[in-house]
Amino acid sequence: LVAFGQAAVDPLTGLLPAADATARCRAIETLCEIGDPLPAPEILDYLSDPADDVRIAAARALQRFRYAPAIGTLLQNLDSETAEVREAKAEVVVGFGALAVPNVLEDLDHHGWSGERQVVAILRRLNEPAAQQCVEMLSSEEHHLRWMAVKALGLLDTSAHVTVVAPLLADEDAQVREAALATLSVAGKAGAEAAALCLEDPEVVRRQRISRALVELGDAGIDAAVRTYEAAQVSGRLGIAEVVALSQRPGDLPVLSALLQDASITVRLSVCDTLAEWQTPDCAAMLVQALHDPEPKVADRAVEGLKALGEVGGEALATVLVEETGPADGVLLTALTALGEPALTALHSYLERDE
């Protein structure tokens, strides 16, 4: 019959409804060998045939015909198939290559992204074609497509895609940001380092989102941010200050101390704000040092920070004044007046102690 070629297609197609499963199977296999795609729509119905052999033959024939409309049907109820049929259908879907990726993603989107599902295994077997399409989807204007792409990349070799996923930590859509964070978290150190490099984003709101994400990544994210200090530009250094401010790890105070000497006034101002949030004596002492900053804006911000610290700020300033030798420091005295009661009370307490 194969030798008859196209002339045998119609008679063989007529045999498809045969009562005998073996006859149905042989008819499909012969049509597959002939290779004419004309009967593909009829063969599509046999993907749900009661006989395993018929379903397998139908799947392989549809791949031979490169009949892309079959992909969605091949994915249906895959988890409930027998092991042999499931593997055959999966192999066929993977054989479609890049053509199968949209259907696989759509199936995952509609039926769940659990790693236990057979469709996830197919996505991983598609690998490069899937990754390439997902990377392209990351720049889509539709937030749902960006979300799907990040989710899918998280199921693939995550470490290979961290650099393209990391910028999505600053996405305008919260779901996309959450998916990006989950994907980078799975990647461990590589994900944290990719996220830290995004602190160079010059847009304030985007950089702040990335800072929060780094803190959510835990010590790995915070450490990665701090490690970028030496090579960081102004935006990056501002980002580091934001990360340290949010995490409030005492061990990061030396980083703030270095940033307080930064060449950028904007960075120094940001550090003053951070120190005011920590409410600790060490931070207050650093703000007292900042009172002597050559830039008046920074010195004024340090005064505001000490005010915000209340008694802690007042005690820090009073301590320096009491321990000073030589002529009184006019800058510190001016700050003392600006701080008012908290500083004066602390100073009075110190003087009484000395007496």
Side-chain angles (χ1 to χ4, degrees), residues 24 42 48 51 61 141 165 248 250 260 264-265 319 325 337 355:
R24 295 197 302 276
E42 285 79 8
S48 56
E141 292 185 1
V165 171
Q248 295 202 4
L260 200 56
S264 165
I265 295 172
T319 300
T325 57
T337 303
E355 291 174 2

Side-chain angles (χ1 to χ4, degrees), residues 75-310:
L75 293 171
Q76 288 175 7
N77 306 316
L78 202 57
D79 292 309
S80 60
E81 277 285 16
T82 62
E84 186 180 5
V85 177
R86 184 167 60 239
E87 176 54 31
K89 286 186 174 182
E91 186 177 339
V92 166
V93 173
V94 173
F96 276 99
L99 283 174
V101 175
N103 292 93
V104 169
L105 293 178
E106 183 179 356
D107 184 278
L108 288 168
D109 191 38
H110 287 162
H111 300 107
W113 296 80
S114 168
E116 303 300 317
R117 296 191 63 234
Q118 294 299 319
V119 178
V120 172
I122 291 174
L123 178 74
R124 288 171 175 154
R125 286 167 66 176
L126 284 164
N127 199 10
E128 284 305 315
Q132 184 177 350
Q133 289 192 39
C134 288
V135 169
E136 291 171 359
M137 286 166 62
L138 292 177
S139 57
S140 169
E141 292 185 1
E142 295 185 38
H143 67 83
H144 188 69
L145 291 181
R146 297 196 302 277
W147 177 81
M148 284 174 58
V150 174
K151 293 281 286 185
L153 289 171
L155 294 170
L156 297 170
D157 180 7
T158 311
S159 60
H161 307 110
V162 290
T163 55
V164 292
V165 171
L168 275 297
L169 290 172
D171 196 272
E172 61 186 21
D173 184 80
Q175 282 190 315
V176 176
R177 297 198 298 272
E178 289 172 11
L181 181 64
T183 295
L184 294 173
S185 180
V186 171
K189 184 178 178 181
E193 289 176 346
L197 293 176
C198 294
L199 286 174
E200 294 290 355
D201 196 311
E203 195 174 316
V204 175
V205 173
R206 288 178 56 83
R207 189 181 65 240
Q208 289 174 342
R209 289 171 180 163
I210 292 163
S211 298
R212 286 193 292 271
L214 283 161
V215 174
E216 289 188 57
L217 287 170
D219 286 339
I222 301 163
D223 290 341
V226 171
R227 282 196 298 271
T228 64
Y229 174 68
E230 294 296 334
Q233 302 299 311
V234 172
S235 292
R237 299 198 298 276
L238 284 168
I240 294 168
E242 290 163 2
V243 170
V244 173
L246 290 167
S247 64
Q248 295 202 4
R249 296 191 311 183
D252 293 326
L253 278 177
V255 179
L256 290 180
S257 181
L259 289 169
L260 200 56
Q261 311 302 318
D262 199 90
S264 165
I265 295 172
T266 305
V267 171
R268 302 203 301 276
L269 288 169
S270 176
V271 174
C272 286
D273 292 338
T274 297
L275 293 170
E277 293 173 7
W278 277 36
Q279 298 284 326
T280 68
D282 287 337
C283 292
M286 290 168 64
L287 282 170
V288 172
Q289 294 174 19
L291 293 172
H292 292 94
D293 194 282
E295 170 56 49
K297 289 181 182 177
V298 177
D300 290 344
R301 191 69 61 87
V303 171
E304 292 173 14
L306 288 167
K307 280 184 182 178
L309 290 174

Side-chain angles (χ1 to χ4, degrees), residues 333-351:
L333 291 174
T334 301
L336 180 71
T337 303
L339 263 63
E341 187 176 346
L344 291 170
T345 301
L347 182 60
H348 182 69
S349 176
Y350 273 113
L351 292 173

